[in-house]
Amino acid sequence: MTGEDMELTTREIDVRLRVLRFDPEKDTEAHFEDYTVRAQPMERLLDCLHKIKWYADTSLALRRSCAHGICGSDAMVINGENALACKVLVKDLKQPITVEPIRGLPVMKDLIVDMDPFFQGYLAVKPWLITDPKEREPDRERLQSQTDRARYDDTTKCILCAACTTSCPIFWADEEYVGPAAIVNAHRFIFDSRDRGGRERLEILSQKDGAFKCRTAFNCTYACPRGIKVTKAIQEVKQAALFKSF
Amino acid sequence: MIRTHEYDAVIVGAGGAGLRAALEAGKRCKTAVVSKLYPTRSHTGAAQGGMCAALANVEEDSWEWHAFDTVKGGDFLADQDAVDVMCQEAVTSVLELERMGLPFNRTPDGKIDQRRFGGHTRNHGEAAVKRACYAADRTGHMILQTLYQQCNKEGVEFFSEFFVLDLLLADGVCGGIVAYEIATGDLHVFRAKSVLFATGGYGKMFKITSNAHTLTGDGPGVVFRRGLPLEDMEFFQFHPTGLYGLGILLSEAARGEGAILRNADGERFMERYAPTIKDLAPRDMVSRAEFFEIKEGRGAGPNKDYILLDLTDVDPEVVETKLPDITEFSRTYLDIDPLKEGVPIVPTAHYAMGGIPTNIDAAVLADHTGTIVPGFYAAGECACVSVHGANRLGTNSLLDIVVFGRRGGLAMAEYANSHKLPAVPDEPARHVQDWLSGLFEGGGPEFPAHVRTRLQTVMMDKASVVRTEDSLGEALVEVQALRRRYDDCRVRDRSKVYNTEITEHIELGYLIDMAEALVVAARARTESRGGHYREDHQMREDDHWLKHSFITKTADGDTKLAYKDVVMGRYVPVERKY
Ligand SMILES: Cc1cc2nc3c(=O)[nH]c(=O)nc-3n(C[C@H](O)[C@H](O)[C@H](O)COP(=O)(O)OP(=O)(O)OC[C@H]3O[C@@H](n4cnc5c(N)ncnc54)[C@H](O)[C@@H]3O)c2cc1C
Ligand code: SF4
Ligand code: FES
């Protein structure tokens, strides 16, 4: 970094935020509140939310842990789009920055939603390696070629942040839809050469709340903070369900 | 409202250690996992580089060489019986994870691939060896996901977003825990025949750290406040490559794949400090080297306060495929493309070698003589077996959590299946109730965040990579003053639903406890060993200090130190050169 770059990144500026607040013990409806904090352009939106929580209004409720896009805690609607608050920087956001809870899941308080329906969708696709009890377990590792390993690499990156599922218009309209994240996690196993549960999962995903509800809106792919090609994965799962090829 | 539950086994924490334990206990007895985070949010998911085992898939290797490296890397403070167990069981542990579905990277012939990592060598130090099994640079993510998948398959019961605040002991026997349900503010008493703590580390006491906001030492804090000892608290690992200003980790795997550390002059300075294995020397040595490079004016950047991690000579294909995440971190958070220029890095607080003392079956020790707390277990980063001694080798923690998580799960189930539900104190939640209601009182207008920021600065400046009697003395005075300021802070938000002000407030209290224990133990140890470096006592003193510290909180709130001899074995201490 040159001295000038450094100057740019360490100079503090005013950052204006509009945060959607809802306290179930007090409010009947959510409302926006405005805040101004001082932050450097290279700081994360999460840092700004912390400044509100730590020095202005300690009641602000949000989830977060790792602060670098790896734990999946802090998906939010930021300036209208789903993203992780710890993975967007102040310099890249138009002000005032609006921050809202992700959509389609019940809001518990401020930026915290009920994640249980999301995890139920995930569990519905049996996201674990299914083996054939008749096949003998090897003493060493199961072998897998590099090509077979690469086949499902993209979908192993999922951190279950729900950014994709809660950006999906089908999911907003119909909470029974398993949603993109569940299909991504099914994909991770269906295309794993070691797995024998493909048929079981594809049957589940061929049902009415399964993969065929997807209308390829691509919102999920844009929303995914891990850069997973979500729509492509869903398409591959649909293909596999139609042609029983995987 | 207070609710009561009864289980055979209760596991606190849902990172790698907790989930691995749950898999064993869950198959054998009625088990619950209680975690303040959703399991997949645990910081095990942040681990990047790998998990080591002498599989010998790529190069000749043996568990005994691995054991030697672990003991030497730990500067001879590790208990050698425990190290043997870990390195022997490493091989089956990795194979077991593969059979659970973990997507390891593969060799051309389809076996689990392995790569180099700091301090891991062939034949007792001859040359670096490929021992780390990995899944790109998201090995921890894949371990966490795989174990969570398996727990769901086995129907393990989870209580997520339940914050554990107390351990129930009656006549020295463990009978359960008390937890605060974050979503409702309700208290829950979990009575259990056996309890295992797997709450992770406490790096958040330092300003620059690779640790998550939630790594605040709650488990060791609860134990400490109940009058039980903590072991080897003076040993905290600083990782040499944290992103400048942020501390976000860039895995040692980068150097394993050929990246080089350079100072402002572009010099590969590690050649001077560790002529044989250079950039792949153990972390404590590399962090110290960086510290002195910066101190002596050879730091890079306009303020000469960082080192450069140079990946420009590594094959771009390797960088993009084997190190995609760390490449992205540096692009996202520093706007720097590692393919084109050096990445600014500094030492970052990374790993707690110390913690709740246990034996090799994860049973918690009540004192330095080896007495056990019946029914109480601990595993993972919050525990101290001790397999890492004074400095942990890279990839040995993911191994530790899996090996000792498994052992803990087995031991706690066996104990639960042969014992009755123990008695608990009358009104078991009373202590927590009184404590929580007291948090809303208190006079000062100060925000606890100021106390936390100050704590992190003090610990970074005075008790991190390099320490002296003076710096530690000053740190102690400051930490004690910060405790008084903290005690005067109150919780402003009185709501019940998702009151995350309360949880953060309590976490800060534990951090202060951890900081005090660290500083007191570090001040007493007048030698340099592994991650504990005293500029005023630069030599290792095996005659006096081949022993583990045990620190306890006394009834009047003071601390007391005792010591336990290191379990020696095949390896006699030699000077640590690389
Ligand atoms: C960035 C990074 C990279 C790393 N890379 C590697 C690597 O490549 N190889 C390696 O071997 N090691 C690595 N490590 C170290 C290793 O990842 C950790 O030491 C290990 O994952 C710790 O696992 P754990 O299960 O003990 O704790 P964690 O995974 O931290 O889990 C702690 C659990 O405890 C719960 N908990 C905490 N407090 C409470 C409470 N009060 N009540 C209820 N629940 C609570 C949390 O919810 C969480 O579920 C890395 C560490 C970091 C930070
Ligand atoms: S696919 Fe991407 S957006 Fe969806 S849950 Fe996984 S990581 Fe999040
Ligand atoms: S805090 Fe972990 S993903 Fe943002």
Side-chain angles (χ1 to χ4, degrees):
Chain A
M1 263 192 273
T2 63
E4 207 174 299
D5 290 344
M6 190 75 105
E7 164 74 35
L8 261 178
T9 54
T10 53
R11 187 175 35 98
E12 284 205 339
I13 54 167
D14 273 344
V15 180
R16 286 170 300 126
L17 300 112
R18 304 199 67 204
V19 182
L20 195 63
R21 303 289 309 264
F22 172 69
D23 179 350
E25 292 167 79
K26 287 194 197 126
D27 305 332
T28 46
E29 239 172 84
H31 61 280
F32 277 103
E33 280 193 29
D34 295 325
Y35 304 91
T36 303
V37 299
R38 298 283 295 169
Q40 297 164 12
M42 287 296 281
E43 282 189 79
R44 297 159 275 209
L45 175 64
L46 178 62
D47 300 319
C48 298
L49 294 173
H50 272 150
K51 287 177 196 204
I52 298 174
K53 179 164 181 64
W54 292 343
Y55 306 110
D57 184 346
T58 56
S59 71
L60 178 66
L62 67 146
R63 290 192 180 100
R64 53 54 178 153
S65 184
C66 73
H68 66 285
I70 218 69
C71 75
S73 295
D74 58 344
M76 301 172 188
V77 184
I78 299 163
N79 281 349
E81 284 173 16
N82 281 11
L84 300 174
C86 66
K87 235 186 151 177
V88 285
L89 306 188
V90 167
K91 71 175 173 59
D92 299 322
L93 292 167
K94 205 163 122 314
Q95 291 194 32
I97 306 168
T98 58
V99 187
E100 302 161 73
I102 43 179
R103 299 182 188 127
L105 293 167
V107 177
M108 312 291 279
K109 183 177 182 178
D110 298 338
L111 301 168
I112 295 183
V113 299
D114 180 3
M115 292 292 284
D116 284 350
F118 172 80
F119 278 103
Q120 273 154 22
Y122 163 75
L123 292 177
V125 304
K126 305 195 175 180
W128 48 77
L129 190 78
I130 296 178
T131 51
D132 183 346
K134 292 194 290 290
E135 270 175 52
R136 203 177 72 84
E137 283 256 307
D139 302 326
R140 294 277 307 185
E141 66 263 54
R142 286 193 192 82
L143 298 181
Q144 183 166 56
S145 73
Q146 291 179 339
T147 321
D148 284 346
R149 167 65 181 78
R151 181 67 190 87
Y152 64 101
D153 186 64
D154 199 36
T155 43
T156 65
K157 294 179 193 156
C158 176
I159 54 173
L160 298 170
C161 70
C164 55
T165 298
T166 60
S167 72
C168 172
I170 314 284
F171 180 77
W172 297 336
D174 174 2
E175 61 185 41
E176 298 295 309
Y177 173 42
V178 294
I183 306 175
V184 161
N185 282 279
H187 180 282
R188 178 251 169 275
F189 288 102
I190 293 170
F191 294 95
D192 183 337
S193 60
R194 300 168 298 173
D195 184 82
R196 298 287 174 269
R199 235 159 258 282
E200 244 172 281
R201 290 194 193 88
L202 288 171
E203 247 163 58
I204 298 164
L205 287 170
S206 305
Q207 288 162 9
K208 68 174 187 358
D209 299 317
F212 291 96
K213 281 229 160 127
C214 166
R215 291 283 169 270
T216 49
F218 275 98
N219 288 17
C220 52
T221 301
Y222 294 123
C224 180
R226 300 287 289 146
I228 298 171
K229 297 183 191 71
V230 182
T231 315
K232 179 166 171 248
I234 298 176
Q235 290 301 93
E236 288 178 356
V237 168
K238 287 189 202 167
Q239 293 275 325
L242 285 174
F243 303 110
K244 301 277 179 276
S245 62
F246 50 90
Chain B
M1 187 156 74
I2 301 174
R3 296 167 195 247
T4 305
H5 312 258
E6 275 185 26
Y7 284 88
D8 293 322
V10 166
I11 292 162
V12 181
L19 294 179
R20 188 66 192 80
L23 270 180
E24 296 307 326
K27 281 180 203 156
R28 293 170 176 81
C29 60
K30 190 177 175 215
T31 304
V33 179
V34 183
S35 172
K36 70 176 176 181
L37 302 173
Y38 270 95
T40 56
R41 314 298 181 218
S42 304
H43 212 55
T44 291
Q48 303 166 354
M51 163 173 175
C52 58
L55 295 182
N57 276 0
V58 185
E59 291 175 352
E60 186 190 358
D61 202 359
S62 89
W63 73 260
E64 193 270 320
W65 295 350
H66 180 188
F68 172 80
D69 291 337
T70 302
V71 171
K72 181 179 170 193
D75 225 349
F76 298 90
L77 192 74
D79 289 329
Q80 296 191 20
D81 54 343
V83 172
D84 277 359
V85 164
M86 181 175 82
C87 297
Q88 274 174 305
E89 292 184 8
V91 175
T92 43
S93 300
V94 166
L95 297 176
E96 224 167 45
L97 286 172
E98 193 286 326
R99 290 200 294 269
M100 290 177 190
L102 200 140
F104 284 109
N105 278 41
R106 300 289 173 152
T107 62
D109 52 355
K111 293 192 228 157
I112 295 170
D113 196 13
Q114 299 187 275
R115 65 178 165 206
R116 295 199 178 93
F117 237 82
H120 290 280
T121 69
R122 53 165 281 113
N123 198 15
H124 314 96
E126 264 176 27
V129 73
K130 294 186 172 169
R131 185 179 289 148
C133 311
Y134 65 101
D137 53 358
R138 46 177 190 282
T139 315
H141 165 74
M142 293 318 334
I143 290 181
L144 187 67
Q145 295 288 329
T146 303
L147 292 173
Y148 182 58
Q149 291 156 4
Q150 291 292 311
C151 283
N152 282 319
K153 181 180 171 201
E154 300 295 337
V156 170
E157 240 181 291
F158 287 103
F159 291 84
S160 295
E161 304 197 317
F162 278 57
F163 193 110
V164 173
L165 296 175
D166 201 7
L167 179 71
L168 298 173
L169 291 169
D171 296 328
V173 177
C174 171
I177 52 156
V178 181
Y180 172 88
E181 185 179 359
I182 303 173
T184 61
D186 291 343
L187 290 181
H188 294 251
V189 173
F190 288 83
R191 295 189 56 183
K193 295 175 186 168
S194 55
V195 169
L196 180 135
F197 272 20
T199 59
Y202 37 87
K204 218 52 203 177
M205 71 165 85
F206 294 100
K207 184 173 164 196
I208 300 292
T209 177
S210 64
N211 283 196
H213 284 287
T214 47
L215 288 177
T216 48
D218 308 359
V222 167
V223 166
F224 197 48
R225 289 180 190 181
R226 279 283 162 210
L228 291 168
L230 299 178
E231 182 177 353
D232 288 345
M233 293 299 287
E234 61 270 45
F235 297 101
F236 204 96
Q237 176 170 84
F238 284 78
H239 191 294
T241 53
L243 276 190
Y244 177 67
L246 294 161
I248 296 171
L249 194 77
L250 299 186
S251 170
E252 204 165 281
R255 280 170 290 141
E257 301 288 357
I260 287 168
L261 293 167
R262 299 191 189 280
N263 60 21
D265 310 326
E267 185 205 6
R268 183 180 193 180
F269 59 87
M270 280 313 296
E271 283 178 335
R272 275 187 277 122
Y273 297 85
T276 313
I277 58 175
K278 305 183 180 91
D279 301 87
L280 284 174
R283 293 172 178 175
D284 58 323
M285 299 178 86
V286 184
S287 286
R288 236 161 12 243
E290 290 179 358
F291 179 93
F292 287 113
E293 288 301 301
I294 292 171
K295 190 175 165 197
E296 287 159 19
R298 293 187 292 278
N303 300 322
K304 295 178 174 296
D305 59 351
Y306 56 75
I307 297 294
L308 292 166
L309 179 69
D310 179 1
L311 282 126
T312 54
D313 283 338
V314 184
D315 179 359
E317 169 77 17
V318 169
V319 177
E320 299 281 1
T321 59
K322 292 191 175 173
L323 306 166
D325 279 8
I326 66 171
T327 309
E328 192 194 314
F329 294 150
S330 119
R331 284 177 185 150
T332 306
Y333 296 109
L334 289 185
D335 235 346
I336 280 187
D337 186 348
L339 294 176
K340 303 206 179 91
E341 55 181 319
V343 184
I345 52 97
V346 286
T348 183
H350 186 57
Y351 183 82
M353 269 76 72
I356 305 167
T358 72
N359 67 15
I360 53 175
D361 290 314
V364 172
L365 307 185
D367 57 43
H368 61 286
T369 67
T371 319
I372 275 167
V373 184
F376 188 31
Y377 300 81
E381 190 170 336
C382 74
C384 178
V385 187
S386 138
V387 282
H388 308 303
N391 169 61
R392 170 175 76 79
L393 287 191
T395 69
N396 263 352
S397 173
L398 290 177
L399 177 60
D400 169 7
I401 64 178
V402 175
V403 167
F404 291 100
R406 178 176 161 279
R407 287 184 151 252
L410 284 169
M412 78 187 300
E414 194 181 308
Y415 182 91
N417 287 336
S418 56
H419 287 80
K420 289 203 180 66
L421 197 68
V424 288
D426 293 338
E427 291 197 84
R430 167 60 54 198
H431 167 70
V432 171
Q433 268 177 310
D434 292 347
W435 170 27
L436 291 185
S437 52
L439 292 180
F440 300 105
E441 272 100 66
E446 186 167 43
F447 285 108
H450 288 123
V451 176
R452 185 174 47 230
T453 308
R454 183 67 202 152
L455 177 77
Q456 292 165 337
T457 306
V458 168
M459 292 303 288
M460 201 73 201
D461 291 349
K462 301 186 192 293
S464 61
V465 180
V466 172
R467 305 157 171 179
T468 64
E469 164 65 26
D470 287 350
S471 78
L472 292 165
E474 287 160 22
L476 186 61
V477 171
E478 282 248 29
V479 170
Q480 287 169 343
L482 286 167
R483 182 189 297 287
R484 288 190 294 275
R485 274 166 66 183
Y486 170 75
D487 287 342
D488 211 29
C489 293
R490 75 191 146 80
V491 174
R492 291 166 165 79
D493 179 6
R494 289 177 168 265
S495 69
K496 296 241 172 262
V497 176
Y498 282 99
N499 186 331
T500 51
E501 185 186 358
I502 287 205
T503 53
E504 281 193 24
H505 188 94
I506 293 170
E507 287 171 338
L508 174 57
Y510 290 133
L511 276 185
I512 295 174
D513 284 354
M514 294 301 102
E516 182 170 358
L518 185 151
V519 170
V520 170
R523 205 171 166 210
R525 189 175 283 270
T526 48
E527 65 154 356
S528 291
R529 184 185 296 275
H532 172 67
Y533 185 79
R534 290 278 303 252
E535 211 168 8
D536 48 350
H537 297 275
Q538 297 183 11
M539 300 307 288
R540 197 177 74 198
E541 305 272 356
D542 291 330
D543 291 347
H544 299 293
W545 286 113
L546 217 48
K547 49 194 183 183
H548 301 286
S549 69
F550 274 58
I551 190 166
T552 38
K553 212 178 179 76
T554 54
D556 59 2
D558 210 355
T559 52
K560 194 177 78 205
L561 279 164
Y563 291 90
K564 177 176 158 229
D565 285 341
V566 172
V567 180
M568 300 305 287
R570 286 184 301 279
Y571 312 117
V572 282
V574 290
E575 195 196 337
R576 211 163 51 119
K577 275 196 284 203
Y578 286 93

